[in-house]
Amino acid sequence: MLQGNQTISAFFLLGLTAVSEQQQHIFVLFLCMYLVTMVGNLLIILAIVNDAHLHSPMYFFLANLSFTDICFTSTTVPKMLADIQSQSPVISFAGCLTQMYFFMLLVDVDNFLLAAMAYDRYVAICYPLHYAALLSLKRCALLVVTPWVVCNLLSVPHIGLLGLLNFCDQREIPHFFCDLEPILRLACSDTQINDLTILVIGGAVIFIPFTFICVSYFLIGCTVLRIPSAKGKWKTFSTCGSHFLAVSLFYGSISGVYFLPSSAYSAERDKVAAVMYTVVTPMMNPFIYSLRNKDMKGAVRRLLIRKTYFCRW
């Protein structure tokens, strides 16, 4: 990557704060959050795999969401923790593009998995008699594999276009990971094509699943309203509560980064929103999907009891 007549080989990640006294507090906080994310999501996956009662489409999608969240968080947090400890927040240009590629891939896959989970709830509530036929194992696998393939292909143009840019003397990224918007602001060359690509591809990847989720919940709402008893309405809609909360948390934070005009860009606001959807949301998902779910809580409890029993022997 050229910088005038020089070659840019690395960027400097400024992290969440430049105040050295706060660095160790941030390190401890994010290490704890990362460990909770890993343990929580791994428990979800292991509980679903080991409990035959949870071998259904809803939990199949949840296990895949947990796996994606583990990978998603691991693309940013370990590097940030290593930078704090080493006091050398350097990332190579190739490393920056690699991190950005996996970050975009995984956030896009998260979008589509949330849409697949909304479709699962829609079929379960609106067409319960056809649930097994509409969400067969083959179709569930297709709903999971297709986003991985499509999102892999959609991440490539962003990385390819970044490789064509020339960067100025400023190589400091005011963020804790390589994100598109902060890096584009370091470029000396015209970024109109990059901005258009973000608008078209990024907008479609977020807008299409989000619209699908909204339509699914609208149709679910119409079905629920036709249920005569208030208790029946609440019981039916409560099965969507966890997913609705996860969707609100994810899209609420991500909209603060990608749906505001460039003129309203704020590095501090960007970092706060990024922490929400890259760290907080993956950490909260295991609690959101298990605390109000008796089957999930029971499966996790049985898993822990079984592991404790084997450890004693």
Side-chain angles (χ1 to χ4, degrees):
M1 175 54 52
L2 296 180
Q3 173 196 337
N5 294 324
Q6 301 176 359
T7 300
I8 286 185
S9 58
F11 290 108
F12 297 93
L13 295 168
L14 299 183
L16 292 173
T17 179
V19 182
S20 57
E21 290 79 8
Q22 297 177 357
Q23 293 285 357
Q24 287 307 312
H25 297 296
I26 290 174
F27 177 84
V28 173
L29 175 62
F30 276 79
L31 177 61
C32 292
M33 292 171 73
Y34 181 66
L35 291 176
V36 170
T37 302
M38 295 297 105
V39 173
N41 283 289
L42 279 173
L43 279 175
I44 293 288
I45 294 171
L46 291 174
I48 291 171
V49 170
N50 286 282
D51 197 315
H53 296 94
L54 302 184
H55 291 177
S56 66
M58 179 175 74
Y59 295 109
F60 174 74
F61 293 131
L62 178 56
N64 279 277
L65 181 69
S66 293
F67 172 74
T68 306
D69 281 344
I70 289 173
C71 298
F72 185 34
T73 306
S74 297
T75 60
T76 57
V77 177
K79 170 62 179 169
M80 183 188 72
L81 297 176
D83 288 345
I84 292 175
Q85 286 300 94
S86 67
Q87 298 294 313
S88 178
V90 179
I91 185 168
S92 67
F93 183 73
C96 189
L97 293 186
T98 302
Q99 185 186 57
M100 196 182 308
Y101 171 78
F102 283 106
F103 174 80
M104 289 187 294
L105 165 66
L106 292 164
V107 75
D108 291 348
V109 170
D110 247 12
N111 274 295
F112 284 101
L113 284 177
L114 288 172
M117 294 173 78
Y119 177 68
D120 168 78
R121 292 298 81 206
Y122 161 70
V123 174
I125 293 172
C126 299
Y127 298 98
L129 299 179
H130 302 285
Y131 184 74
L134 291 173
L135 283 170
S136 62
L137 180 60
K138 182 178 180 181
R139 290 189 179 181
C140 288
L142 193 63
L143 286 171
V144 169
V145 173
T146 302
W148 281 96
V149 175
V150 172
C151 295
N152 261 293
L153 296 175
L154 293 179
S155 299
V156 172
H158 296 291
I159 304 303
L161 289 171
L162 275 174
L164 300 176
L165 295 178
N166 294 324
F167 288 88
C168 305
D169 293 335
Q170 177 70 19
R171 292 189 293 167
E172 295 179 342
I173 301 174
H175 216 309
F176 63 95
F177 68 94
C178 290
D179 199 9
L180 271 173
E181 185 67 27
I183 291 179
L184 288 177
R185 289 181 173 271
L186 301 181
C188 293
S189 49
D190 185 21
T191 61
Q192 283 188 352
I193 296 178
N194 301 76
D195 294 334
L196 182 62
T197 304
I198 293 172
L199 180 64
V200 175
I201 296 180
V205 166
I206 294 175
F207 180 75
I208 293 173
F210 181 69
T211 302
F212 188 86
I213 292 170
C214 291
V215 171
S216 296
Y217 272 108
F218 174 77
L219 296 174
I220 287 171
C222 292
T223 301
V224 170
L225 289 175
R226 289 198 292 266
I227 298 175
S229 67
K231 185 178 179 180
K233 290 177 182 178
W234 171 250
K235 184 178 180 181
T236 303
F237 195 73
S238 64
T239 62
C240 305
S242 298
H243 180 258
F244 185 78
L245 182 58
V247 167
S248 302
L249 188 61
F250 181 79
Y251 283 103
S253 56
I254 207 171
S255 62
V257 179
Y258 298 108
F259 288 104
L260 291 178
S262 298
S263 57
Y265 175 78
S266 166
E268 293 305 315
R269 189 206 66 230
D270 192 9
K271 285 189 280 190
V272 171
V275 167
M276 286 298 297
Y277 73 83
T278 61
V279 183
V280 176
T281 301
M283 180 186 70
M284 293 301 297
N285 278 345
F287 298 101
I288 292 172
Y289 285 106
S290 62
L291 289 179
R292 296 184 60 191
N293 188 315
K294 292 181 180 180
D295 292 335
M296 196 71 245
K297 284 192 291 186
V300 172
R301 192 182 300 114
R302 287 190 292 273
L303 175 68
L304 293 175
I305 291 172
R306 191 182 305 123
K307 295 299 180 184
T308 304
Y309 175 79
F310 281 121
C311 286
R312 287 178 180 177
W313 286 92

